[in-house]
Amino acid sequence: MPPPRTGLCLLLLGLVLGSVCVTLGSQAQANSTTDALNVLLIIVDDLRPSLGCYGDKLVRSPNIDQLASHSLLFQNAFVQQAVCAPSRVSFLTGRRPDTTRLYDFNSYWRVHAGNFSTIPQYFKDNGYVTMSVGKVFHPGISSNHSDDSPYSWSFPPYHPSSEKYENTKTCRGPDGELHANLLCPVDVVDVPEGTLPDKQSTEEAIRLLKKMKTSASPFFLAVGYHKPHIPFRYPKEFQKLYPLENITLAPDPEVPDGLPPVAYNPWMDIRQREDVQALNISVPYGPIPVDFQRKIRQSYFASVSYLDTQVGHLLSALDDLHLANSTIVAFTSDHGWALGEHGEWAKYSNFDVATRVPLMFYVPGRTASLPETGEKLFPYVDPFHSASELMEPGRQSTDLVELVSLFPTLAGLAGLQVPPRCPVPSFHIELCREGKNLLKHFRFHGLEEDPYLPGNPRELIAYSQYPRPADFPQQNSDKPSLKYIKIMGYSIRTVDYRYTVWVGFNPDEFLANFSDIHAGELYFVDSDPLQDHNMYNDSQGGELFQSLMP
């Protein structure tokens, strides 16, 4: 096999400058920007496109569907790594994991890789009041235990006080006792503080919207929702939307015969939950008993509908405050989640089910007409109302896009100068972006389009990657710490195929060795949309992979 191209790793490489905390009042007085559009960025944790607006016939998501009906919706949006902290740092900086050098949860990119600018920081530097509610950056070391404050935010981010109970014994089991379960439908009045984190985040976000209504400055408000992340802790009434007899299994619940062991994730985190432990499931492949599979899927969908009500209340408040005609709304997720596909129950892979996410943008007066006086674009829709009808998305794009494009696209939609494309390498560059600017999809006149965006859909590529500590599934296969990463799975998704090579990786030098191929995967989208039939051994392996690189 020929030696790897010198620039190959850098082509797959693909995170935020500083300022000081100020109060809302002083920020509003200091930066008066007239006629600028506000931005509401909604980030959901572990949400795959199991939504009505993405064609799911079972899931009740009327409020998100309503947003989609006024938005440009991207049908094929992909994250760059299917795990929380690396994905969020990647799209919030517009850089790929090989540039942020974050593949786990254990480093802060400003110290570890480079002082890269973030989306909210860029808006803050351009006169916006920037605010964070809930899980936006992943908490912990990966955002410097401060959600990247004070760089990204005008004042300290808000976290719900009830977050601390998410993984505690608050789930009442059949024995009447409280457990730390995976499946956790609750009576909200009985849980600690009598509330749940996402309810608190919605209330805080609405409070901030009310405060910003009279501000002289535009605002950038990021709201991060926890559900449907595990544990599935949600108000128990949402189970009624999904009777177990209506819940089907994943269409491909078995581990594919041709799947290389390195590609499989053993979903260790759900195994730690008390109700799953009681099942005595074998490691690494299981399987989970069929009746429990249905219960997992039921609780995931119920969590999505609960999330939908929170999004509905937030957007309804935007309407009530007469901000819908001056606020861009972007909605996305940090990655997907497998619900039994390929025998997996988590993210932690390069499959579409883990890397594909919802992505939509509402731009007032552009993706939808401005509301008339007294008209509401986003009236709250009760998912329990039997008469609620599925709303069709507004405009849609089927082109493949990456979440690293969020940075330049939001900047362009808001009328800010789009940050320049990053050189290779770009560790020394504070403000640039590795994602393409998606403004051409909006068909706006006078907005800066990206000359690097191909016109032919067959030329579009979405890159993802995932690290592994070994060739076979083991205890830390899902979330290996950097020092244990020995293999990196680089994945290319095109309109025709998903192609992945698992290659040797040096964690000390952050270098992949494309001459050291451990395994490969090749799935053809048209004939194998679920990615169950690995054709890699019928191809020319790594040589073909390299020939497909840009």
Side-chain angles (χ1 to χ4, degrees):
M1 132 174 262
R5 296 187 180 96
T6 304
L8 183 58
C9 297
L10 293 175
L11 284 166
L12 285 168
L13 294 180
L15 236 146
V16 168
L17 293 170
S19 55
V20 295
C21 284
V22 293
T23 64
L24 265 173
S26 62
Q27 180 78 2
Q29 292 172 2
N31 296 310
S32 179
T33 306
T34 60
D35 299 326
L37 287 172
N38 307 307
V39 177
L40 172 59
L41 172 60
I42 302 173
I43 302 170
V44 186
D45 209 342
D46 287 22
L47 179 64
R48 59 196 247 162
S50 290
L51 300 164
C53 53
Y54 279 89
D56 194 301
K57 303 301 184 185
L58 177 65
V59 173
R60 302 289 293 272
S61 53
N63 294 287
I64 298 172
D65 298 345
Q66 181 170 244
L67 172 63
S69 73
H70 300 302
S71 299
L72 172 59
L73 180 147
F74 288 90
Q75 283 282 354
N76 292 296
F78 293 89
V79 301
Q80 279 47 77
Q81 187 178 329
V83 69
C84 300
S87 177
R88 289 166 186 262
V89 169
S90 174
F91 69 72
L92 287 168
T93 61
R95 318 250 186 150
R96 302 181 188 279
D98 275 343
T99 302
T100 67
R101 292 180 167 175
L102 181 67
Y103 315 104
D104 58 13
F105 296 77
N106 304 320
S107 65
Y108 182 40
W109 78 91
R110 292 186 188 275
V111 174
H112 193 61
N115 192 30
F116 309 142
S117 213
T118 67
I119 299 174
Q121 180 183 355
Y122 187 60
F123 276 81
K124 182 169 177 257
D125 290 345
N126 279 276
Y128 279 68
V129 177
T130 59
M131 303 166 285
S132 173
V133 172
K135 185 178 178 181
V136 177
F137 284 99
H138 193 282
I141 299 174
S142 62
S143 58
N144 202 34
H145 298 283
S146 67
D147 299 277
D148 195 44
S149 290
Y151 298 99
S152 288
W153 310 109
S154 298
F155 55 97
Y158 169 86
H159 285 277
S161 60
S162 62
E163 270 183 356
K164 58 182 174 286
Y165 305 110
E166 276 292 279
N167 294 300
T168 60
K169 294 178 182 289
T170 58
C171 319
R172 196 164 300 280
D175 58 3
E177 300 298 319
L178 294 176
H179 299 275
N181 285 343
L182 173 66
L183 311 180
C184 192
V186 298
D187 190 331
V188 175
V189 298
D190 290 340
V191 299
E193 300 186 26
T195 189
L196 294 172
D198 287 346
K199 292 172 68 70
Q200 287 185 292
S201 289
T202 300
E203 291 162 0
E204 175 65 10
I206 292 173
R207 186 189 72 81
L208 291 173
L209 288 176
K210 290 177 179 177
K211 197 163 188 176
M212 290 307 301
K213 179 176 171 55
T214 58
S215 171
S217 294
F219 65 80
F220 179 102
L221 172 59
V223 181
Y225 285 115
H226 282 264
K227 295 304 108 176
H229 193 285
I230 63 172
F232 300 124
R233 187 168 173 260
Y234 58 92
K236 64 183 181 182
E237 58 267 25
F238 286 89
Q239 270 190 330
K240 298 175 184 176
L241 294 172
Y242 304 98
L244 274 175
E245 58 267 26
N246 294 346
I247 304 298
T248 59
L249 301 181
D252 55 345
E254 306 295 330
V255 180
D257 289 339
L259 184 70
V262 69
Y264 186 79
N265 75 78
W267 31 280
M268 297 305 298
D269 45 5
I270 80 165
R271 295 174 187 271
Q272 299 168 9
R273 311 292 165 165
E274 292 181 33
D275 51 352
V276 178
Q277 286 179 344
L279 300 172
N280 294 315
I281 300 168
S282 63
V283 178
Y285 295 107
I288 290 177
V290 167
D291 61 339
F292 202 83
Q293 290 187 38
R294 286 194 172 90
K295 291 178 179 177
I296 294 176
R297 289 168 67 87
Q298 176 195 47
S299 277
Y300 184 92
F301 300 146
S303 297
V304 172
S305 291
Y306 162 56
L307 157 77
D308 180 78
T309 63
Q310 299 310 303
V311 173
H313 288 305
L314 177 60
L315 294 177
S316 179
L318 194 75
D319 248 342
D320 292 340
L321 294 166
H322 307 291
L323 291 168
N325 61 355
S326 59
T327 303
I328 297 166
V329 181
F331 178 95
T332 193
S333 169
D334 55 357
H335 44 71
W337 211 80
L339 286 169
E341 293 85 359
H342 312 113
E344 296 183 331
W345 299 89
K347 45 262 191 177
Y348 314 134
S349 82
N350 285 318
F351 285 119
D352 278 15
V353 73
T355 56
R356 181 172 169 246
V357 293
L359 178 64
M360 62 189 80
F361 298 87
Y362 159 74
V363 186
R366 302 292 189 117
T367 61
S369 300
L370 291 173
E372 301 288 341
T373 303
E375 178 191 5
K376 293 198 69 173
L377 279 181
F378 305 116
Y380 176 76
V381 185
D382 187 345
F384 292 94
H385 198 290
S386 59
S388 61
E389 297 181 0
L390 176 63
M391 282 164 276
E392 293 295 326
R395 287 180 35 218
Q396 301 184 57
S397 172
T398 58
D399 283 0
L400 275 79
V401 300
E402 302 177 289
L403 228 54
V404 282
S405 290
L406 188 63
F407 195 155
T409 304
L410 276 179
L413 290 175
L416 304 181
Q417 182 175 351
V418 176
R421 286 180 62 91
C422 292
V424 178
S426 64
F427 298 105
H428 60 294
I429 306 294
E430 295 182 352
L431 179 62
C432 67
R433 43 87 183 191
E434 294 178 348
K436 296 180 174 68
N437 173 2
L438 303 179
L439 293 184
K440 68 169 271 186
H441 295 277
F442 293 83
R443 303 177 196 149
F444 298 162
H445 296 295
L447 288 182
E448 179 185 350
E449 295 185 0
D450 195 329
Y452 297 93
L453 195 62
N456 184 350
R458 283 198 142 64
E459 297 176 3
L460 296 171
I461 296 176
Y463 298 95
S464 301
Q465 63 188 100
Y466 209 86
R468 295 286 190 234
D471 287 299
F472 292 87
Q474 58 187 44
Q475 292 286 331
N476 65 336
S477 285
D478 294 345
K479 296 180 287 187
S481 296
L482 175 63
K483 64 181 178 180
Y484 298 118
I485 297 173
K486 304 302 180 186
I487 303 166
M488 188 68 73
Y490 288 102
S491 193
I492 292 173
R493 176 64 156 85
T494 75
V495 68
D496 295 315
Y497 57 80
R498 178 171 287 285
Y499 204 172
T500 304
V501 289
W502 298 89
V503 301
F505 185 81
N506 183 329
D508 297 319
E509 298 182 7
F510 304 96
L511 287 178
N513 181 359
F514 284 84
S515 296
D516 179 23
I517 296 180
H518 290 234
E521 301 168 79
L522 174 61
Y523 308 100
F524 292 102
V525 173
D526 283 345
S527 59
D528 185 22
L530 300 178
Q531 298 164 18
D532 290 320
H533 304 286
N534 182 11
M535 307 300 292
Y536 178 84
N537 291 331
D538 297 335
S539 72
Q540 297 179 38
E543 293 183 18
L544 178 57
F545 180 90
Q546 290 202 30
S547 73
L548 294 166
M549 292 302 299

